Amino acid sequence: MIYKEELINDLKVKSVQMIELTFKAVKNSIKSLKKVDIEKVNDDEIDKLYVDVEEQALKILLKERTYSKDLRIVTGILKLVDDIERIGDHAEDLAWCSSKLTLVEKHVEINSLNELCDEVLSKIDLTLESYLNEDSELANKNIELDDNVDDLYLKVLDELEIIKDKESNYNLIIYSTLIAKYLERIADHLVNINEWIIYIKNGYYKGRTII
Amino acid sequence: MNEEVIFSVKNLSLYYGEKKALNDISIDIYKNKVTAFIGPSGCGKSTFLRCFNRMNDLIENCRVEGEILYKNENILKVNPIYLRTKVGMVFQQPNPFPMSIFNNVTYGLKCQGVRKKDELKEICIESLTKSALYEEVKDRLKDNALALSGGQQQRLCIARCIALSPDVILMDEPTSALDPIATSKIEELIRELKKDYTIVIVTHNMQQATRISDYTAFFMLGDLVEYNTTDEFFSHPKDKRSDDYISGKFS
């Protein structure tokens, strides 16, 4: 393997580590929405990997001949980790919201919020799969699925309005609204990641060629 | 590619004795564009460049088949001296004549019979200005050109070429003997010159090709492997050999 390939391989490995760590943090935060114990999200470790990936990508761009696929991999990863880092922040936000809810509040059934959690969890797995396999078809499907998330987010707001009238529990309403918003934001960042996966694979970003 | 074609090469093959150096090449060169020829050493890119002003005629046992159409005329059949006034050339090593800057620039004109001093001076100033050298040498046009720096000498050679009002300038690795500052001046100059001239450049520096050229042709073992816009070529090469070469997978 030539030196440049080793550097690019190392960059890919670091990006996968960052994605796995971030997605695990989101999953734990979502799980904690129904539990007493809140698992702490280690955002610092995600941020450290973010800096590592950025440094490695810039080093490759500075020192190596990056054309064709190499250029797409390095620049694609450089863009994609921005979204991963934001997802990491939202995982922390979700855990914080979870800590603000009592166990009783956590067990108030908000069906559309449960569905939204499931949808985001599934999207996380599918996004990781499309990244690992560089599967642009799957990435395209993942992007299309975002409409479900948007619909569910609006359903959560409707459902919370009904619950507000019934229970007058503003703590539950406020933090559940925030949780829904963070989940919706995470899904948006997953869309961006899938767009960068398509770019890495074939050079198209949002249906046009950048380079 | 809706560009005006200046050279249309059809099925060109070139032989050095028995050895085939260029193999059945067909390509269109576009007017007022910079076209870069790249490829490993010995791939035939410089040989091909020299076909455009018949410099290969000077090589013994060199034989060319096919045709290169320039203004609908096969250049392999026209007077090479006339051709070289329309298709100038700049080489890897700056090669000013051992005479004054003024005489270097006007040398070709004098060969063509231009004698009026005012006319010579006017063309000299215009050519030196176009080649971004005039401001640096305007007070010493009578000085020997060999006293100029390497980068200045190369720009002088470009001025000497421009003085004959060519349509095309061929450049064979014009910056490989220059430092980065002189190189960037030549590159800047090339970007300016393409407004008035068509430029075909051979380079080993792929970043240079991406910086200055509009089209890139990749050669290997005498074959034209791929020809495309430079942006497309360096981001989405179609041929695996091109991809391997620009990615550094072999030399």
Side-chain angles (χ1 to χ4, degrees):
Chain A
M1 193 185 281
I2 61 173
Y3 182 59
K4 181 179 68 177
E5 283 173 5
E6 281 175 27
L7 291 176
I8 291 176
N9 221 30
D10 190 33
L11 179 72
K12 284 184 190 166
V13 170
K14 280 186 178 134
S15 69
V16 170
Q17 282 172 347
M18 187 182 168
I19 291 173
E20 284 182 335
L21 194 66
T22 308
F23 287 2
K24 193 177 155 202
V26 175
K27 284 181 178 176
N28 286 339
S29 292
I30 289 176
K31 268 187 214 158
S32 76
L33 297 175
K34 293 289 177 195
K35 291 196 310 188
V36 193
D37 303 328
I38 312 295
E39 285 193 51
K40 204 179 171 307
V41 172
N42 192 350
D43 193 36
D44 293 345
E45 210 173 327
I46 296 170
D47 286 347
K48 189 188 168 302
L49 276 166
Y50 176 54
V51 172
D52 282 355
V53 169
E54 273 190 330
E55 280 180 1
Q56 176 88 349
L58 292 175
K59 190 171 138 190
I60 294 169
L61 289 174
L62 176 70
K63 296 187 172 182
E64 299 298 324
R65 268 165 43 171
T66 41
Y67 296 110
S68 183
K69 184 70 186 279
D70 293 342
L71 183 62
R72 293 202 293 277
I73 292 172
V74 178
T75 52
I77 289 176
L78 196 53
K79 294 293 290 180
L80 171 150
V81 288
D82 277 346
D83 288 295
I84 301 289
E85 194 270 337
R86 295 296 297 135
I87 290 175
D89 290 345
H90 291 323
E92 209 171 27
D93 296 332
L94 281 176
W96 174 75
C97 288
S98 182
S99 74
K100 295 289 181 183
L101 292 169
T102 63
L103 188 60
V104 175
E105 286 166 341
K106 285 181 179 182
H107 280 91
V108 173
E109 281 302 321
I110 309 169
N111 292 328
S112 49
L113 187 58
N114 294 340
E115 281 180 57
L116 181 58
C117 288
D118 291 343
E119 189 71 27
V120 170
L121 286 172
S122 142
K123 216 169 158 186
I124 277 177
D125 288 337
L126 290 170
T127 300
L128 181 61
E129 190 184 329
S130 68
Y131 185 63
L132 292 176
N133 300 326
E134 230 179 73
D135 185 341
S136 57
E137 266 183 49
L138 181 56
N140 259 319
K141 278 184 198 155
N142 294 340
I143 292 167
E144 283 166 18
L145 285 176
D146 193 52
D147 288 346
N148 296 350
V149 174
D150 292 340
D151 291 346
L152 281 169
Y153 171 64
L154 295 175
K155 267 170 85 179
V156 174
L157 297 186
D158 290 344
E159 204 174 335
L160 285 173
E161 204 151 329
I162 294 164
I163 292 170
K164 177 194 78 180
D165 295 338
K166 263 202 308 199
E167 303 208 8
S168 304
N169 182 341
Y170 288 101
N171 193 58
L172 173 68
I173 305 301
I174 288 168
Y175 289 105
S176 297
T177 307
L178 283 174
I179 287 166
K181 186 69 203 166
Y182 290 132
L183 288 169
E184 190 267 341
R185 292 300 302 136
I186 288 172
D188 279 348
H189 288 296
L190 291 171
V191 167
N192 295 346
I193 291 167
N194 280 288
E195 272 160 354
W196 289 117
I197 292 168
I198 295 167
Y199 163 77
I200 289 171
K201 174 75 178 173
N202 55 28
Y204 289 101
Y205 179 71
K206 296 185 178 179
R208 68 189 172 91
T209 314
I210 311 179
I211 52 161
Chain B
M1 296 184 192
N2 291 325
E3 312 281 3
E4 189 181 339
V5 174
I6 191 156
F7 282 120
S8 188
V9 182
K10 295 182 194 300
N11 307 107
L12 187 108
S13 294
L14 183 142
Y15 300 81
Y16 290 123
E18 293 300 306
K19 190 182 173 301
K20 198 173 190 182
L22 292 173
N23 184 28
D24 197 27
I25 289 169
S26 296
I27 187 174
D28 286 337
I29 303 293
Y30 300 103
K31 193 177 175 191
N32 292 107
K33 299 288 171 193
V34 179
T35 302
F37 291 170
I38 64 166
S41 296
C43 68
K45 55 191 185 301
S46 290
T47 298
F48 186 50
L49 185 77
R50 287 196 301 267
C51 290
F52 290 99
N53 68 346
R54 303 255 310 261
M55 291 292 277
N56 292 316
D57 287 12
L58 307 171
I59 299 170
E60 209 177 333
N61 288 329
C62 182
R63 180 166 56 87
V64 183
E65 290 172 359
E67 59 182 22
I68 301 177
L69 296 178
Y70 167 67
K71 294 182 177 170
N72 295 321
E73 215 174 346
N74 185 0
I75 64 165
L76 302 177
K77 303 227 156 70
V78 304
N79 177 348
I81 306 297
Y82 165 76
L83 176 68
R84 286 171 202 150
T85 64
K86 292 285 135 198
V87 186
M89 192 159 192
V90 177
F91 299 87
Q92 183 174 3
Q93 287 290 340
N95 54 355
F97 302 137
M99 53 180 74
S100 72
I101 294 167
F102 179 84
N103 284 338
N104 259 278
V105 179
T106 55
Y107 188 85
L109 293 165
K110 287 177 191 163
C111 290
Q112 287 183 344
V114 180
R115 288 283 177 267
K116 286 184 189 163
K117 281 207 170 157
D118 288 349
E119 192 182 349
L120 288 171
K121 194 170 180 191
E122 191 184 324
I123 295 173
C124 176
I125 291 171
E126 194 190 331
S127 305
L128 287 169
T129 305
K130 274 189 173 177
S131 61
L133 186 62
Y134 183 65
E135 284 303 314
E136 292 166 53
V137 300
K138 63 183 176 188
D139 298 325
R140 46 185 176 132
L141 293 179
K142 298 267 186 270
D143 286 5
N144 194 310
L146 297 177
L148 297 173
S149 71
Q152 287 173 326
Q153 287 186 10
Q154 195 63 306
R155 277 179 282 149
L156 177 67
C157 294
I158 293 171
R160 192 172 62 192
C161 181
I162 288 171
L164 295 174
S165 307
D167 289 333
V168 182
I169 304 174
L170 307 175
M171 297 184 172
D172 195 353
E173 297 187 52
T175 61
S176 62
L178 304 180
D179 70 25
I181 297 167
T183 297
S184 67
K185 279 187 182 167
I186 299 279
E187 288 180 2
E188 197 50 50
L189 176 59
I190 290 171
R191 273 190 283 265
E192 275 299 309
L193 290 175
K194 78 169 180 179
K195 291 172 191 160
D196 298 318
Y197 309 96
T198 301
I199 294 168
V200 187
I201 180 169
V202 165
T203 180
H204 273 297
N205 182 336
M206 281 188 282
Q207 285 190 321
Q208 181 172 70
T210 57
R211 281 194 297 265
I212 61 170
S213 72
D214 303 292
Y215 291 91
T216 296
F218 171 59
F219 292 83
M220 217 176 141
L221 300 170
D223 290 322
L224 172 61
V225 175
E226 189 166 342
Y227 181 44
N228 209 333
T229 60
T230 296
D231 286 350
E232 187 69 11
F233 178 80
F234 281 99
S235 51
H236 304 279
K238 305 280 183 291
D239 193 289
K240 188 177 179 305
R241 289 169 293 174
S242 317
D243 203 349
D244 284 347
Y245 181 72
I246 62 172
S247 305
K249 287 181 184 148
F250 54 72
S251 56

